[in-house]
Amino acid sequence: MTKNTILKSSAASEVSANVLVDPSQRDTHYDGNVAQYLCDLHDNKSTFDFCGGMMFQLVLSDALRSQLGKVAAAGSASSEQPKIAPSNQGLMSTLPGYEQSAAADNIELFHGREVRKVKDAAGGMGFVLHLSLANGNDVEGWTENEIAGYDGWKHDVGRVWRTGDMLEEEGFRTFREKFGPQAFALHHKFYLHYDGMDRMWLSAEDGCEGTPSGNDGGMVGKLKNLLGM
């Protein structure tokens, strides 16, 4: 598959942008089926607004999309449904049983990457949040080197950002085919939590986080539109 087809879903389901963004409409539509919500965010090339305007497209690996699709089909009562932490657990370090490790379970904790310089990423900024299947057979999953060297509780400065050729040498053979020749990445663990307004946030272990946006470019995008940029 080419990069452009991979950044789209092979089993896309169109959902109203308001359902994906507005908490009350989201809850009515999904009724606790978080797996379906994540699939729909991916399928609709939804963006997450980080830092008031850094728009990251959510991209699930094929293996994680397939896994979440099966969980979604099983319904809201499935024991494998992803968990969304309450608003008083706004940092990963506040989760019960938290430990600084590479461990993830695809329910409460997820393996992911912050990918930069992705051509044609939704949001127009070249940013992607790539979540993959942990502890499973995922050709897009974390490499052995990423697992062994994981230190995502530290600040980005000083951590190892991986270029496309590095990731391909380590085992993610299709990284540049998927994201483009200039793309590079930093791996993070992620979890989901609510805030006081019932919005859902996708949060990295270092505290950087974003919430689903209306794909309007956030505050930065709105300012550019006003200025005719």
Side-chain angles (χ1 to χ4, degrees):
M1 299 175 75
T2 65
K3 173 178 71 65
N4 286 338
T5 58
I6 291 177
L7 287 183
K8 299 177 182 178
S9 168
S10 59
S13 54
E14 292 188 8
V15 177
S16 163
N18 288 336
V19 168
L20 296 174
V21 175
D22 179 76
S24 62
Q25 294 189 50
R26 175 202 67 208
D27 291 348
T28 298
H29 183 82
Y30 292 103
D31 192 25
N33 197 330
V34 180
Q36 187 62 59
Y37 182 41
L38 294 176
C39 287
D40 287 348
L41 287 166
H42 164 83
D43 292 350
N44 289 272
K45 301 179 68 174
S46 296
T47 56
F48 280 66
D49 185 349
F50 278 68
C51 305
M54 296 179 67
M55 311 305 289
F56 283 80
Q57 179 185 344
L58 178 66
V59 175
L60 307 179
S61 71
D62 290 346
L64 182 59
R65 174 62 180 82
S66 176
Q67 167 68 13
L68 290 175
K70 293 175 183 177
V71 175
S76 301
S78 170
S79 62
E80 296 184 279
Q81 278 286 345
K83 295 179 180 179
I84 306 179
S87 59
N88 64 354
Q89 294 174 2
L91 291 171
M92 190 180 292
S93 59
T94 64
L95 294 175
Y98 167 78
E99 62 178 12
Q100 292 180 344
S101 76
D105 58 8
N106 310 306
I107 295 175
E108 185 175 49
L109 299 172
F110 293 85
H111 282 173
R113 295 184 183 92
E114 167 188 355
V115 189
R116 303 290 187 105
K117 290 191 176 181
V118 180
K119 184 179 180 182
D120 299 327
M125 297 183 177
F127 300 154
V128 157
L129 288 176
H130 177 235
L131 300 185
S132 57
L133 188 67
N135 311 318
N137 184 19
D138 191 347
V139 295
E140 302 173 31
W142 280 10
T143 67
E144 291 183 2
N145 287 7
E146 285 177 301
I147 293 173
Y150 180 67
D151 55 358
W153 51 89
K154 298 180 180 178
H155 193 279
D156 288 1
V157 176
R159 296 192 62 213
V160 177
W161 289 78
R162 283 172 163 79
T163 59
D165 59 337
M166 288 175 63
L167 281 164
E168 290 178 7
E169 287 175 5
E170 291 180 7
F172 188 169
R173 305 297 184 193
T174 59
F175 179 83
R176 285 179 289 187
E177 179 183 354
K178 186 178 186 77
F179 296 116
Q182 303 302 317
F184 60 98
L186 180 66
H187 62 310
H188 299 273
K189 278 186 2 183
F190 289 92
Y191 82 112
L192 303 168
H193 74 86
Y194 291 117
D195 66 10
M197 294 186 288
D198 209 27
R199 295 177 300 180
M200 186 193 77
W201 293 78
L202 180 63
S203 181
E205 187 166 8
D206 62 7
C208 191
E209 60 183 3
T211 190
S213 76
N215 286 347
D216 58 5
M219 292 176 64
V220 173
K222 292 174 183 176
L223 180 59
K224 286 183 177 180
N225 289 335
L226 287 172
L227 297 176
M229 298 172 64

PDB file of all heavy atoms in Angstrom, residues 9 20 29-30 33 66 82 90 101 105 127 134 139 150 157 166 169 172-174 176 178 181 184 201 211 214 216 222:
ATOM      1  N   SER A   9      -8.437   5.177   5.934  1.00  0.00           N
ATOM      2  CA  SER A   9      -8.838   3.873   6.456  1.00  0.00           C
ATOM      3  C   SER A   9      -9.302   2.961   5.340  1.00  0.00           C
ATOM      4  O   SER A   9      -9.917   3.402   4.374  1.00  0.00           O
ATOM      5  CB  SER A   9      -9.967   4.041   7.479  1.00  0.00           C
ATOM      6  OG  SER A   9     -10.532   2.792   7.780  1.00  0.00           O
ATOM      7  N   LEU A  20     -18.011  13.466  16.934  1.00  0.00           N
ATOM      8  CA  LEU A  20     -16.636  13.150  17.307  1.00  0.00           C
ATOM      9  C   LEU A  20     -16.053  14.145  18.305  1.00  0.00           C
ATOM     10  O   LEU A  20     -15.112  13.810  19.028  1.00  0.00           O
ATOM     11  CB  LEU A  20     -15.751  13.102  16.055  1.00  0.00           C
ATOM     12  CG  LEU A  20     -16.092  12.008  15.040  1.00  0.00           C
ATOM     13  CD1 LEU A  20     -15.246  12.172  13.780  1.00  0.00           C
ATOM     14  CD2 LEU A  20     -15.899  10.617  15.638  1.00  0.00           C
ATOM     15  N   HIS A  29     -24.064   8.884  21.134  1.00  0.00           N
ATOM     16  CA  HIS A  29     -23.828   8.059  19.944  1.00  0.00           C
ATOM     17  C   HIS A  29     -23.095   6.765  20.286  1.00  0.00           C
ATOM     18  O   HIS A  29     -23.472   5.688  19.788  1.00  0.00           O
ATOM     19  CB  HIS A  29     -23.023   8.865  18.922  1.00  0.00           C
ATOM     20  CG  HIS A  29     -22.772   8.151  17.633  1.00  0.00           C
ATOM     21  ND1 HIS A  29     -23.700   8.106  16.616  1.00  0.00           N
ATOM     22  CD2 HIS A  29     -21.701   7.433  17.188  1.00  0.00           C
ATOM     23  CE1 HIS A  29     -23.219   7.414  15.600  1.00  0.00           C
ATOM     24  NE2 HIS A  29     -22.005   6.991  15.928  1.00  0.00           N
ATOM     25  N   TYR A  30     -22.061   6.838  21.123  1.00  0.00           N
ATOM     26  CA  TYR A  30     -21.206   5.664  21.352  1.00  0.00           C
ATOM     27  C   TYR A  30     -21.607   4.842  22.577  1.00  0.00           C
ATOM     28  O   TYR A  30     -21.285   3.651  22.640  1.00  0.00           O
ATOM     29  CB  TYR A  30     -19.737   6.097  21.449  1.00  0.00           C
ATOM     30  CG  TYR A  30     -19.211   6.591  20.127  1.00  0.00           C
ATOM     31  CD1 TYR A  30     -19.056   7.956  19.887  1.00  0.00           C
ATOM     32  CD2 TYR A  30     -18.921   5.707  19.093  1.00  0.00           C
ATOM     33  CE1 TYR A  30     -18.608   8.415  18.662  1.00  0.00           C
ATOM     34  CE2 TYR A  30     -18.475   6.156  17.863  1.00  0.00           C
ATOM     35  CZ  TYR A  30     -18.318   7.513  17.659  1.00  0.00           C
ATOM     36  OH  TYR A  30     -17.880   7.969  16.434  1.00  0.00           O
ATOM     37  N   ASN A  33     -18.892   2.714  23.945  1.00  0.00           N
ATOM     38  CA  ASN A  33     -18.077   1.924  23.015  1.00  0.00           C
ATOM     39  C   ASN A  33     -16.871   2.759  22.572  1.00  0.00           C
ATOM     40  O   ASN A  33     -16.841   3.336  21.488  1.00  0.00           O
ATOM     41  CB  ASN A  33     -18.915   1.495  21.808  1.00  0.00           C
ATOM     42  CG  ASN A  33     -18.272   0.354  21.032  1.00  0.00           C
ATOM     43  OD1 ASN A  33     -17.054   0.224  20.988  1.00  0.00           O
ATOM     44  ND2 ASN A  33     -19.095  -0.477  20.405  1.00  0.00           N
ATOM     45  N   SER A  66      -7.609  -3.106  13.425  1.00  0.00           N
ATOM     46  CA  SER A  66      -8.310  -4.386  13.350  1.00  0.00           C
ATOM     47  C   SER A  66      -8.725  -4.869  14.741  1.00  0.00           C
ATOM     48  O   SER A  66      -9.861  -5.317  14.945  1.00  0.00           O
ATOM     49  CB  SER A  66      -7.415  -5.428  12.677  1.00  0.00           C
ATOM     50  OG  SER A  66      -8.031  -6.694  12.662  1.00  0.00           O
ATOM     51  N   PRO A  82     -11.148  -0.026  25.529  1.00  0.00           N
ATOM     52  CA  PRO A  82     -10.204   0.948  26.089  1.00  0.00           C
ATOM     53  C   PRO A  82     -10.842   1.749  27.216  1.00  0.00           C
ATOM     54  O   PRO A  82     -12.050   2.020  27.202  1.00  0.00           O
ATOM     55  CB  PRO A  82      -9.884   1.840  24.883  1.00  0.00           C
ATOM     56  CG  PRO A  82     -10.147   0.982  23.693  1.00  0.00           C
ATOM     57  CD  PRO A  82     -11.322   0.127  24.081  1.00  0.00           C
ATOM     58  N   GLY A  90      -5.334  13.413  35.465  1.00  0.00           N
ATOM     59  CA  GLY A  90      -4.945  14.163  34.283  1.00  0.00           C
ATOM     60  C   GLY A  90      -3.498  13.987  33.859  1.00  0.00           C
ATOM     61  O   GLY A  90      -3.062  14.573  32.876  1.00  0.00           O
ATOM     62  N   SER A 101       7.896   2.443  32.710  1.00  0.00           N
ATOM     63  CA  SER A 101       8.318   1.290  31.923  1.00  0.00           C
ATOM     64  C   SER A 101       7.711   1.403  30.533  1.00  0.00           C
ATOM     65  O   SER A 101       6.889   2.284  30.269  1.00  0.00           O
ATOM     66  CB  SER A 101       7.867  -0.023  32.579  1.00  0.00           C
ATOM     67  OG  SER A 101       6.477  -0.234  32.374  1.00  0.00           O
ATOM     68  N   ASP A 105      -0.996  -2.131  27.386  1.00  0.00           N
ATOM     69  CA  ASP A 105      -1.952  -3.239  27.309  1.00  0.00           C
ATOM     70  C   ASP A 105      -3.055  -3.046  26.275  1.00  0.00           C
ATOM     71  O   ASP A 105      -3.964  -3.872  26.176  1.00  0.00           O
ATOM     72  CB  ASP A 105      -2.586  -3.482  28.685  1.00  0.00           C
ATOM     73  CG  ASP A 105      -3.296  -2.236  29.237  1.00  0.00           C
ATOM     74  OD1 ASP A 105      -3.427  -1.237  28.498  1.00  0.00           O
ATOM     75  OD2 ASP A 105      -3.702  -2.269  30.405  1.00  0.00           O
ATOM     76  N   PHE A 127       1.731  16.774  11.054  1.00  0.00           N
ATOM     77  CA  PHE A 127       1.857  16.058  12.322  1.00  0.00           C
ATOM     78  C   PHE A 127       0.896  14.870  12.360  1.00  0.00           C
ATOM     79  O   PHE A 127      -0.269  14.994  11.975  1.00  0.00           O
ATOM     80  CB  PHE A 127       1.524  16.959  13.510  1.00  0.00           C
ATOM     81  CG  PHE A 127       2.388  18.181  13.649  1.00  0.00           C
ATOM     82  CD1 PHE A 127       1.908  19.307  14.283  1.00  0.00           C
ATOM     83  CD2 PHE A 127       3.686  18.202  13.161  1.00  0.00           C
ATOM     84  CE1 PHE A 127       2.691  20.433  14.431  1.00  0.00           C
ATOM     85  CE2 PHE A 127       4.494  19.323  13.303  1.00  0.00           C
ATOM     86  CZ  PHE A 127       3.989  20.451  13.951  1.00  0.00           C
ATOM     87  N   ALA A 134       0.387  -3.026  21.044  1.00  0.00           N
ATOM     88  CA  ALA A 134       1.438  -3.486  21.951  1.00  0.00           C
ATOM     89  C   ALA A 134       1.250  -4.972  22.233  1.00  0.00           C
ATOM     90  O   ALA A 134       0.128  -5.489  22.203  1.00  0.00           O
ATOM     91  CB  ALA A 134       1.388  -2.703  23.262  1.00  0.00           C
ATOM     92  N   VAL A 139       3.542  -5.075  12.557  1.00  0.00           N
ATOM     93  CA  VAL A 139       4.744  -4.675  11.821  1.00  0.00           C
ATOM     94  C   VAL A 139       5.020  -3.187  11.975  1.00  0.00           C
ATOM     95  O   VAL A 139       6.115  -2.717  11.665  1.00  0.00           O
ATOM     96  CB  VAL A 139       4.620  -5.035  10.325  1.00  0.00           C
ATOM     97  CG1 VAL A 139       4.553  -6.539  10.138  1.00  0.00           C
ATOM     98  CG2 VAL A 139       3.411  -4.353   9.686  1.00  0.00           C
ATOM     99  N   TYR A 150      13.088   2.950  26.027  1.00  0.00           N
ATOM    100  CA  TYR A 150      11.984   3.872  26.302  1.00  0.00           C
ATOM    101  C   TYR A 150      12.201   4.663  27.593  1.00  0.00           C
ATOM    102  O   TYR A 150      12.494   4.093  28.643  1.00  0.00           O
ATOM    103  CB  TYR A 150      10.657   3.116  26.397  1.00  0.00           C
ATOM    104  CG  TYR A 150       9.508   4.054  26.691  1.00  0.00           C
ATOM    105  CD1 TYR A 150       9.096   4.996  25.751  1.00  0.00           C
ATOM    106  CD2 TYR A 150       8.872   4.049  27.928  1.00  0.00           C
ATOM    107  CE1 TYR A 150       8.074   5.886  26.027  1.00  0.00           C
ATOM    108  CE2 TYR A 150       7.842   4.925  28.209  1.00  0.00           C
ATOM    109  CZ  TYR A 150       7.455   5.848  27.255  1.00  0.00           C
ATOM    110  OH  TYR A 150       6.449   6.734  27.532  1.00  0.00           O
ATOM    111  N   VAL A 157      13.559  16.871  24.945  1.00  0.00           N
ATOM    112  CA  VAL A 157      14.965  17.245  24.747  1.00  0.00           C
ATOM    113  C   VAL A 157      15.848  16.185  25.401  1.00  0.00           C
ATOM    114  O   VAL A 157      15.710  15.883  26.584  1.00  0.00           O
ATOM    115  CB  VAL A 157      15.260  18.627  25.357  1.00  0.00           C
ATOM    116  CG1 VAL A 157      16.751  18.954  25.219  1.00  0.00           C
ATOM    117  CG2 VAL A 157      14.423  19.701  24.690  1.00  0.00           C
ATOM    118  N   MET A 166      16.364   4.999  10.303  1.00  0.00           N
ATOM    119  CA  MET A 166      16.634   4.327  11.579  1.00  0.00           C
ATOM    120  C   MET A 166      15.526   3.340  11.922  1.00  0.00           C
ATOM    121  O   MET A 166      15.786   2.188  12.300  1.00  0.00           O
ATOM    122  CB  MET A 166      16.761   5.364  12.702  1.00  0.00           C
ATOM    123  CG  MET A 166      18.020   6.198  12.677  1.00  0.00           C
ATOM    124  SD  MET A 166      18.003   7.493  13.957  1.00  0.00           S
ATOM    125  CE  MET A 166      17.953   6.503  15.453  1.00  0.00           C
ATOM    126  N   GLU A 169      15.612   0.297   9.655  1.00  0.00           N
ATOM    127  CA  GLU A 169      16.704  -0.599  10.019  1.00  0.00           C
ATOM    128  C   GLU A 169      16.360  -1.395  11.275  1.00  0.00           C
ATOM    129  O   GLU A 169      16.747  -2.563  11.422  1.00  0.00           O
ATOM    130  CB  GLU A 169      17.986   0.197  10.250  1.00  0.00           C
ATOM    131  CG  GLU A 169      18.610   0.735   8.967  1.00  0.00           C
ATOM    132  CD  GLU A 169      19.812   1.618   9.241  1.00  0.00           C
ATOM    133  OE1 GLU A 169      20.211   1.721  10.428  1.00  0.00           O
ATOM    134  OE2 GLU A 169      20.341   2.215   8.287  1.00  0.00           O
ATOM    135  N   PHE A 172      10.689  -1.408  11.472  1.00  0.00           N
ATOM    136  CA  PHE A 172       9.468  -0.832  10.913  1.00  0.00           C
ATOM    137  C   PHE A 172       9.755  -0.560   9.440  1.00  0.00           C
ATOM    138  O   PHE A 172      10.063   0.544   9.031  1.00  0.00           O
ATOM    139  CB  PHE A 172       9.110   0.452  11.661  1.00  0.00           C
ATOM    140  CG  PHE A 172       7.760   1.037  11.310  1.00  0.00           C
ATOM    141  CD1 PHE A 172       7.241   2.055  12.090  1.00  0.00           C
ATOM    142  CD2 PHE A 172       7.011   0.609  10.223  1.00  0.00           C
ATOM    143  CE1 PHE A 172       6.004   2.630  11.796  1.00  0.00           C
ATOM    144  CE2 PHE A 172       5.789   1.164   9.915  1.00  0.00           C
ATOM    145  CZ  PHE A 172       5.284   2.185  10.706  1.00  0.00           C
ATOM    146  N   ARG A 173       9.643  -1.619   8.611  1.00  0.00           N
ATOM    147  CA  ARG A 173      10.136  -1.605   7.236  1.00  0.00           C
ATOM    148  C   ARG A 173       9.413  -0.619   6.324  1.00  0.00           C
ATOM    149  O   ARG A 173       9.980  -0.183   5.310  1.00  0.00           O
ATOM    150  CB  ARG A 173      10.017  -3.005   6.634  1.00  0.00           C
ATOM    151  CG  ARG A 173      10.700  -4.102   7.442  1.00  0.00           C
ATOM    152  CD  ARG A 173      12.197  -3.901   7.550  1.00  0.00           C
ATOM    153  NE  ARG A 173      12.847  -5.012   8.250  1.00  0.00           N
ATOM    154  CZ  ARG A 173      14.086  -4.980   8.702  1.00  0.00           C
ATOM    155  NH1 ARG A 173      14.830  -3.900   8.516  1.00  0.00           N
ATOM    156  NH2 ARG A 173      14.598  -6.020   9.340  1.00  0.00           N
ATOM    157  N   THR A 174       8.173  -0.268   6.655  1.00  0.00           N
ATOM    158  CA  THR A 174       7.376   0.562   5.746  1.00  0.00           C
ATOM    159  C   THR A 174       7.168   1.985   6.278  1.00  0.00           C
ATOM    160  O   THR A 174       6.260   2.678   5.845  1.00  0.00           O
ATOM    161  CB  THR A 174       6.003  -0.086   5.506  1.00  0.00           C
ATOM    162  OG1 THR A 174       5.321  -0.239   6.759  1.00  0.00           O
ATOM    163  CG2 THR A 174       6.155  -1.442   4.834  1.00  0.00           C
ATOM    164  N   ARG A 176       8.761   4.924   5.932  1.00  0.00           N
ATOM    165  CA  ARG A 176       8.794   6.035   4.964  1.00  0.00           C
ATOM    166  C   ARG A 176       7.743   5.866   3.876  1.00  0.00           C
ATOM    167  O   ARG A 176       7.233   6.858   3.348  1.00  0.00           O
ATOM    168  CB  ARG A 176      10.200   6.161   4.367  1.00  0.00           C
ATOM    169  CG  ARG A 176      11.192   6.794   5.336  1.00  0.00           C
ATOM    170  CD  ARG A 176      12.588   6.904   4.777  1.00  0.00           C
ATOM    171  NE  ARG A 176      13.229   5.589   4.682  1.00  0.00           N
ATOM    172  CZ  ARG A 176      14.497   5.403   4.361  1.00  0.00           C
ATOM    173  NH1 ARG A 176      15.272   6.458   4.087  1.00  0.00           N
ATOM    174  NH2 ARG A 176      15.022   4.190   4.307  1.00  0.00           N
ATOM    175  N   LYS A 178       4.827   4.754   4.485  1.00  0.00           N
ATOM    176  CA  LYS A 178       3.582   5.141   5.148  1.00  0.00           C
ATOM    177  C   LYS A 178       3.515   6.647   5.387  1.00  0.00           C
ATOM    178  O   LYS A 178       2.477   7.274   5.139  1.00  0.00           O
ATOM    179  CB  LYS A 178       3.459   4.402   6.484  1.00  0.00           C
ATOM    180  CG  LYS A 178       2.129   4.619   7.206  1.00  0.00           C
ATOM    181  CD  LYS A 178       2.097   3.811   8.500  1.00  0.00           C
ATOM    182  CE  LYS A 178       0.731   3.882   9.166  1.00  0.00           C
ATOM    183  NZ  LYS A 178      -0.275   3.030   8.526  1.00  0.00           N
ATOM    184  N   PRO A 181       9.144  10.427   2.928  1.00  0.00           N
ATOM    185  CA  PRO A 181      10.608  10.311   3.031  1.00  0.00           C
ATOM    186  C   PRO A 181      11.252  11.225   4.063  1.00  0.00           C
ATOM    187  O   PRO A 181      12.354  10.948   4.532  1.00  0.00           O
ATOM    188  CB  PRO A 181      11.082  10.673   1.618  1.00  0.00           C
ATOM    189  CG  PRO A 181       9.982  11.519   1.050  1.00  0.00           C
ATOM    190  CD  PRO A 181       8.718  10.947   1.617  1.00  0.00           C
ATOM    191  N   PHE A 184       9.983  11.796  10.594  1.00  0.00           N
ATOM    192  CA  PHE A 184      10.773  11.271  11.708  1.00  0.00           C
ATOM    193  C   PHE A 184       9.851  11.201  12.927  1.00  0.00           C
ATOM    194  O   PHE A 184       8.762  11.785  12.932  1.00  0.00           O
ATOM    195  CB  PHE A 184      12.004  12.130  11.983  1.00  0.00           C
ATOM    196  CG  PHE A 184      11.702  13.571  12.335  1.00  0.00           C
ATOM    197  CD1 PHE A 184      11.674  13.990  13.658  1.00  0.00           C
ATOM    198  CD2 PHE A 184      11.454  14.509  11.339  1.00  0.00           C
ATOM    199  CE1 PHE A 184      11.403  15.309  13.984  1.00  0.00           C
ATOM    200  CE2 PHE A 184      11.189  15.837  11.655  1.00  0.00           C
ATOM    201  CZ  PHE A 184      11.162  16.241  12.987  1.00  0.00           C
ATOM    202  N   TRP A 201      -9.145  13.477  26.294  1.00  0.00           N
ATOM    203  CA  TRP A 201      -7.785  13.866  25.941  1.00  0.00           C
ATOM    204  C   TRP A 201      -6.934  12.629  25.713  1.00  0.00           C
ATOM    205  O   TRP A 201      -7.049  11.635  26.437  1.00  0.00           O
ATOM    206  CB  TRP A 201      -7.167  14.720  27.044  1.00  0.00           C
ATOM    207  CG  TRP A 201      -7.825  16.058  27.179  1.00  0.00           C
ATOM    208  CD1 TRP A 201      -9.017  16.329  27.798  1.00  0.00           C
ATOM    209  CD2 TRP A 201      -7.352  17.298  26.665  1.00  0.00           C
ATOM    210  NE1 TRP A 201      -9.312  17.669  27.693  1.00  0.00           N
ATOM    211  CE2 TRP A 201      -8.303  18.294  27.006  1.00  0.00           C
ATOM    212  CE3 TRP A 201      -6.211  17.679  25.950  1.00  0.00           C
ATOM    213  CZ2 TRP A 201      -8.152  19.630  26.651  1.00  0.00           C
ATOM    214  CZ3 TRP A 201      -6.047  19.013  25.602  1.00  0.00           C
ATOM    215  CH2 TRP A 201      -7.012  19.967  25.950  1.00  0.00           C
ATOM    216  N   THR A 211      -6.918  17.101  22.390  1.00  0.00           N
ATOM    217  CA  THR A 211      -8.308  16.680  22.396  1.00  0.00           C
ATOM    218  C   THR A 211      -8.858  16.743  20.977  1.00  0.00           C
ATOM    219  O   THR A 211      -8.378  17.554  20.169  1.00  0.00           O
ATOM    220  CB  THR A 211      -9.125  17.584  23.353  1.00  0.00           C
ATOM    221  OG1 THR A 211     -10.422  17.025  23.541  1.00  0.00           O
ATOM    222  CG2 THR A 211      -9.248  19.006  22.824  1.00  0.00           C
ATOM    223  N   GLY A 214     -12.295  20.026  15.541  1.00  0.00           N
ATOM    224  CA  GLY A 214     -13.208  20.058  14.403  1.00  0.00           C
ATOM    225  C   GLY A 214     -12.500  20.122  13.076  1.00  0.00           C
ATOM    226  O   GLY A 214     -13.103  20.490  12.064  1.00  0.00           O
ATOM    227  N   ASP A 216     -10.482  22.288  12.069  1.00  0.00           N
ATOM    228  CA  ASP A 216     -10.467  23.658  11.563  1.00  0.00           C
ATOM    229  C   ASP A 216      -9.128  24.342  11.790  1.00  0.00           C
ATOM    230  O   ASP A 216      -8.987  25.540  11.567  1.00  0.00           O
ATOM    231  CB  ASP A 216     -11.576  24.485  12.226  1.00  0.00           C
ATOM    232  CG  ASP A 216     -11.458  24.520  13.755  1.00  0.00           C
ATOM    233  OD1 ASP A 216     -10.465  23.978  14.283  1.00  0.00           O
ATOM    234  OD2 ASP A 216     -12.354  25.097  14.396  1.00  0.00           O
ATOM    235  N   LYS A 222      -7.438  29.188  12.823  1.00  0.00           N
ATOM    236  CA  LYS A 222      -8.431  30.249  12.760  1.00  0.00           C
ATOM    237  C   LYS A 222      -7.776  31.611  12.550  1.00  0.00           C
ATOM    238  O   LYS A 222      -8.276  32.458  11.806  1.00  0.00           O
ATOM    239  CB  LYS A 222      -9.278  30.239  14.031  1.00  0.00           C
ATOM    240  CG  LYS A 222     -10.177  29.014  14.165  1.00  0.00           C
ATOM    241  CD  LYS A 222     -10.875  28.975  15.506  1.00  0.00           C
ATOM    242  CE  LYS A 222     -11.710  27.703  15.658  1.00  0.00           C
ATOM    243  NZ  LYS A 222     -12.331  27.604  16.992  1.00  0.00           N
TER     244      LYS A 222
END
